[in-house]
Amino acid sequence: AEISLGEGSAQRSFDLRVTPLRDRRDRLVGRLLLLYDVTDRRRAEEMLLRRNRELILFNHAGQAFTSTLELNQVLATVLEEVRRVLNVAICSVWLEDPTSGELVCQEASGPKSELVRGWRLAPGQGVTGWVFENDRGVIVPDTRADVRHYKGVDERIEWESRSILSVPLRIREHVTGTLNVTATEVDRFTAADMALIESLAATAAIAIENARLYDQARRDVETKAVLLREV
């Protein structure tokens, strides 16, 4: 059997083995308990498992980015992969509306995500707005203890975010939005999770720009076609 002692980073794992002790007449006279420290092995296994999940995530994300230039389809695929790999409830991408300066939920994945898509946040509102304005990722370990947390979205979907990880999306050094991951547990995210999401956000930002350029080029072609027909 395996047991754990201690808490947090000081926790260690042990493999417990019990060996019966018998006398010359084969009578049970006691038991020998042996504890083998397997902490390093367990941590190495967890790191390997995590690394494999990350490679799968980037592989699937890369396939999504190159398979289509439809922005929402790309984002939906990536967000589903993030949910699966990190085992979290809701992921979302918020992009700036250049006209109003608001942040708009472009795509979301998770329970009642259809109620979140299209939601607008005023400039600087919530953790999302803070990350966007400060161009800095953040981990909120407990939303109840952070005054930046905006409860409006939680109330709409009747679900409470207890911890949040949010990173900026940058296109050519310009912040264009944020990538958010939320969970129902307190203190759910780590620095390693943030590093993973920041790497994914950098790749996603390129896909977002390509999708926008493609959409703009398509509209230009359609406009020219209309003008030619009117001549």
Side-chain angles (χ1 to χ4, degrees), residues 160-178:
E160 184 180 13
S161 305
R162 289 308 308 273
S163 53
I164 300 174
L165 190 166
S166 179
V167 300
L169 289 166
R170 303 183 188 91
I171 296 178
R172 298 177 183 176
E173 303 305 318
H174 171 69
V175 181
T176 190
T178 69

Side-chain angles (χ1 to χ4, degrees), residues 94-111:
W94 298 72
L95 299 179
E96 180 189 23
D97 181 341
T99 303
S100 65
E102 297 173 308
L103 285 172
V104 183
C105 183
Q106 182 72 31
E107 187 60 59
S109 176

Side-chain angles (χ1 to χ4, degrees), residues 126-199:
V127 174
T128 301
W130 186 92
V131 169
F132 179 80
E133 289 196 340
N134 290 272
D135 188 14
R136 197 173 85 192
V138 67
I139 292 175
V140 177
D142 186 357
T143 57
R144 295 182 183 177
D146 196 307
V147 296
R148 294 171 296 184
H149 178 52
Y150 170 65
K151 299 179 181 179
V153 175
D154 288 359
E155 292 171 353
R156 180 173 177 81
I157 63 176
E158 299 177 341
W159 182 90
E160 184 180 13
S161 305
R162 289 308 308 273
S163 53
I164 300 174
L165 190 166
S166 179
V167 300
L169 289 166
R170 303 183 188 91
I171 296 178
R172 298 177 183 176
E173 303 305 318
H174 171 69
V175 181
T176 190
T178 69
L179 172 57
N180 296 352
V181 186
T182 62
T184 55
E185 309 99 314
V186 173
D187 201 18
R188 172 65 176 76
F189 301 109
T190 66
D193 294 328
M194 174 170 279
L196 171 64
I197 298 303
E198 284 179 333
S199 297

Side-chain angles (χ1 to χ4, degrees), residues 209-229:
E209 181 179 28
N210 289 339
R212 284 176 166 175
L213 291 173
Y214 170 77
D215 187 56
Q216 182 61 52
R218 181 178 54 80
R219 288 199 303 267
D220 290 345
V221 170
E222 291 174 351
T223 300
K224 290 180 180 178
V226 171
L227 294 175
L228 288 173
R229 286 197 298 268

